[in-house]
Each structure stands twice: as structure tokens, then as C-alpha cells.
Amino acid sequence: MKYYLVAGEASGDLHGANLIKALKTEDSEAVFRYFGGDKMQAEGGELVKHYADMAFMGFTEVLLNLRTIFRNLKACKEDIIKWKPDVLILIDFPGFNLKIAEFAKANGIKVCYYISPKVWAWNQKRVLKIKRIVDHMFCILPFEVGFYKEWGMKVDYVGNPLLDEIAQFTPDVNFRKNNQLGNEKIIALLPGSRKQEIERLLPVMLSITDEYPEYVFAIAAAPTFTEAYYHQFTGNKKVKLLFNNTYNLLHNAHAAIVASGTATLETALFKVPQVVVYKGGTISIAIARMLVKIKFISLVNLIVNKKIVTELIQQDCNTQKVSEELKILLTGAGRIEMLKQYDELLSLMGKPGASAKTAVLITTYLN
């Protein structure tokens, strides 16, 4: 079969790579073409466009980059028609992918959607459109099944692919030595992979480092940026910069400050106490507050449907509050309580196998 995948950000690239690997097990003659990233490319097939040219964050940023987005949409549609895949597999990234799904459906191409758009967060009526243009939806969050059922749509719950990735992870025993980290306790900084979020969040994260001289701070750097790019923020601060080493960093971290997104769940699965931070453009946030209908922004809190981790959003994402919340997690009752609450999260998440399960379902539906 010919599989065309579309992933528009770092997490989608990760999940797409694992799905490609699983599909090759189910279909030995599988051929792949995709919009994605380095991880997908490492699994074979042909990369048409890298997600680094596609990921725009927030309403304002999208508006400012509309020309690029429309150009990418046009290129994707043309490439799909030219290649004639047996199935289109869309991975999250709904602003872009729902348009591609509509186009593919109109052109008689079977559409599978892996990792549901967060339609439960705002504008829930989009489910009606999804029912019309998506043939099979594969969900990775437990509560999504019930949500879709309320709208009369049957979906497949496959578990969370992050569990697959973490299960495959083998810690580097020389990690500290290779990165000159010594024996100090590590505070991990995960400012995200998009330019806008790094530029908004990393300065706040770094502003607290001088208050904790007994700890070493380490940044999980996005591979799409250079050392020089990060150095404009770090300056002469005592901070380590680590590329392609996020899981080893989390495996060794004592605590973390994390940009809202997939990384909050990864941090929790590694059982690292964390403070979640988020800053958007003023207009983007104002619009989001009018539209978004959920109590939390972090996946950790959303999955358990209660506050486990503190979320510092917009004006609350400042030096004083980040430092106060981090201090609570370094020792004592606050740290013990969060680690205990993580156990509840783990029990809800289930077991690894999402990629394999999704691959089996896709190949079954195609036959």
C-alpha cells in the first residue's frame, strides 16, 4: 500500500515515525511519502516538506503567516493527487490537516486521522465536519472516546504513543559524564520546539537560575535551531544546552519547567515534578479565553480531570511565580504529593502499544 502522512510539528514527527515503523511490520511492501521531520525520514520513505516550515503558534502568528500556510496547503494537495496514495494518515495539526482531509475525501482518498484534533476544547461542532470527512479516527486520550460518542461518532482508542516511545528508551549510562553534568541535581528546562514559544518562555525560565546555585539547569533544545540561536538567551548563565537528548535529560532530572504541550505528559511519565508554563500573543490569548471551554491546558491535568501540576499562564508566567512553584517541588510534601498523583495518571494511560494497534487497525480497514 501507498501511505501518505502529514505531521506538522515535532510531536507529530515522533508519532509519525513510530507509526511508519509499525506499518512496515504489518505491510512489508508499504511505501511512504510525507510532510514530517527527521524522525520520520529516519524510518524511510520520502520527506516532501519539513515541519519546521509549517508550525505557527497562536491566532496572530497564523494570520501573519497565511501566505506560507496557503502555499503549503496547495503544495500538499498537489502532491497527494500526483502520488495517488491508498490512504492519507493525518497526525494532529488540525488547522492544516482538516483542510487536507476535506480535500482528500472529495477526491476519493480514504482518510485516517491519528491523534484527534482537540475539538473537545473549543468549537465542538467541528465534530460534525470530522464525521463527514474522516473515515477512521484513532484517539490517544481516554476521555476522547466518550466525547465523540456523545456526538454519534465511533472512534478507536489506541492508547498513547508516548508510552511506546518511552518503553523503547534505553538510558545513556554516560549521559552525565558526556555532558559535563557532574553530580549536581538537574532542573530541566523544556521551552518547546516552536520559535514563538521559545522566545516567550525561555527568558522567563532562565530568569530564575541565579536563585538556585546548588542546581544545574539544562535546556532540552529543539534540533531545528542552532547553538547560536539559544546563546542569545543564555548568555553567560550556568546552563547546559542539550540537543536530541530530552529523554536522557528527563531520566536524570530532579524537577522541570515545561512548556504546555506534549512535553508535560512526557515529563510526568518520567516521574519528574514539573511547573507548566504558557505564554501566547495578547490577541491570541484574548480570543482563546473566549473560545476555549476546558479547565486546564496541560495534558497531565486534562487526563486526570483535576489539578496535579500548576499551570502558569500569561501574566502568571513570571520570574517570581515560576520560582515559587519550583521551590515547592524540590523537597518536601509538594514533591511527594505530585509524584503520588502521577501514579493515578499512569494507571489511566494504560500500556504501550498505540503505534502497533493503530497500524493493525489501518491495514485491516484498508483490506
Side-chain angles (χ1 to χ4, degrees):
M1 293 285 187
K2 292 167 73 176
Y3 301 85
Y4 201 110
L5 293 84
V6 183
E9 49 204 342
S11 59
D13 179 37
L14 171 70
H15 301 323
N18 280 331
L19 184 57
I20 288 172
K21 194 186 298 181
L23 283 166
K24 286 191 288 188
T25 302
E26 296 302 316
D27 180 359
S28 59
E29 295 180 14
V31 185
F32 300 95
R33 191 172 175 86
Y34 43 81
F35 277 42
D38 300 342
K39 287 183 168 67
M40 290 169 76
Q41 196 167 25
E43 291 300 327
E46 189 158 351
L47 175 67
V48 181
K49 183 168 283 289
H50 200 285
Y51 70 78
D53 302 322
M54 298 170 66
F56 301 106
M57 178 186 169
F59 297 98
T60 312
E61 290 77 16
V62 167
L63 286 172
L64 291 172
N65 291 281
L66 274 178
R67 188 174 293 179
T68 302
I69 292 166
F70 284 130
R71 192 162 56 238
N72 289 340
L73 278 166
K74 185 171 183 282
C76 189
K77 290 172 181 178
E78 288 173 353
D79 198 56
I80 287 168
I81 290 298
K82 187 177 174 184
W83 200 60
K84 297 185 176 69
D86 293 295
V87 62
L88 174 69
I89 303 171
L90 304 168
I91 304 170
D92 202 358
F93 202 52
F96 189 94
N97 275 340
L98 287 175
K99 291 179 177 64
I100 296 299
E102 193 166 21
F103 171 82
K105 188 70 175 174
N107 283 275
I109 297 166
K110 196 169 282 289
V111 178
C112 289
Y113 212 120
Y114 181 43
I115 304 176
S116 165
K118 295 172 182 64
V119 285
W120 33 265
W122 66 283
N123 193 8
Q124 296 185 355
K125 286 186 178 177
R126 285 180 298 168
V127 176
L128 299 174
K129 181 179 181 180
I130 289 170
K131 281 175 73 173
R132 183 168 49 81
I133 63 176
V134 173
D135 294 295
H136 301 287
M137 174 69 75
F138 306 103
C139 294
I140 66 166
L141 299 173
F143 61 82
E144 291 176 328
V145 178
F147 167 78
Y148 276 105
K149 190 176 180 181
E150 286 176 11
W151 286 88
M153 184 175 175
K154 184 183 177 298
V155 299
D156 290 294
Y157 175 63
V158 293
N160 200 293
L162 286 181
L163 294 169
D164 299 16
E165 190 67 16
I166 292 168
Q168 294 164 21
F169 167 68
T170 304
D172 178 3
V173 293
N174 297 312
F175 171 73
R176 282 182 174 269
K177 181 182 172 186
N178 292 342
N179 293 285
Q180 294 85 50
L181 285 163
N183 293 316
E184 293 170 284
K185 286 179 178 174
I186 299 167
I187 296 174
L189 304 179
L190 281 73
S193 59
R194 298 184 184 104
K195 190 170 184 282
Q196 294 99 328
E197 60 185 346
I198 293 168
E199 292 178 0
R200 287 183 180 128
L201 296 175
L202 190 54
V204 180
M205 293 178 174
L206 292 169
S207 69
I208 70 161
T209 56
D210 293 341
E211 296 178 45
Y212 300 90
E214 69 275 33
Y215 292 88
V216 60
F217 287 78
I219 300 169
T224 44
F225 297 98
T226 63
E227 281 191 37
Y229 172 77
Y230 283 98
H231 284 159
Q232 68 181 304
F233 304 107
T234 58
N236 296 319
K237 284 186 176 289
K238 181 189 156 190
V239 181
K240 294 287 181 183
L241 194 60
L242 305 175
F243 288 89
N244 299 309
N245 235 333
T246 302
Y247 281 8
N248 275 307
L249 173 56
L250 289 174
H251 180 72
N252 286 273
H254 184 70
I257 306 168
V258 188
S260 175
T262 307
T264 63
L265 190 51
E266 290 174 305
T267 304
L269 293 173
F270 273 94
K271 298 200 126 186
V272 180
Q274 65 182 300
V275 182
V276 175
V277 292
Y278 180 82
K279 266 192 176 185
T282 307
I283 297 170
S284 297
I285 285 289
I287 295 169
R289 281 184 168 146
M290 286 190 289
L291 297 175
V292 174
K293 306 296 181 193
I294 50 174
K295 290 186 286 185
F296 306 109
I297 60 164
S298 68
L299 285 171
V300 178
N301 291 343
L302 281 166
I303 291 169
V304 295
N305 196 29
K306 68 178 180 182
K307 181 190 168 187
I308 289 182
V309 298
T310 295
E311 302 171 350
L312 298 177
I313 305 168
Q314 215 60 0
Q315 65 269 21
D316 287 335
C317 178
N318 60 56
T319 304
Q320 183 184 340
K321 289 202 172 183
V322 171
S323 184
E324 284 172 1
E325 292 298 332
L326 178 65
K327 204 165 286 179
I328 292 167
L329 302 179
L330 297 179
T331 56
R335 178 179 182 83
I336 292 164
E337 181 58 26
M338 188 173 291
L339 290 172
K340 183 181 162 191
Q341 298 272 8
Y342 279 168
D343 290 334
E344 185 179 343
L345 172 74
L346 286 165
S347 69
L348 285 169
M349 291 285 292
K351 301 207 178 303
S355 306
K357 199 179 292 183
T358 306
V360 168
L361 287 168
I362 290 173
T363 51
T364 302
Y365 289 142
L366 286 176
N367 291 327

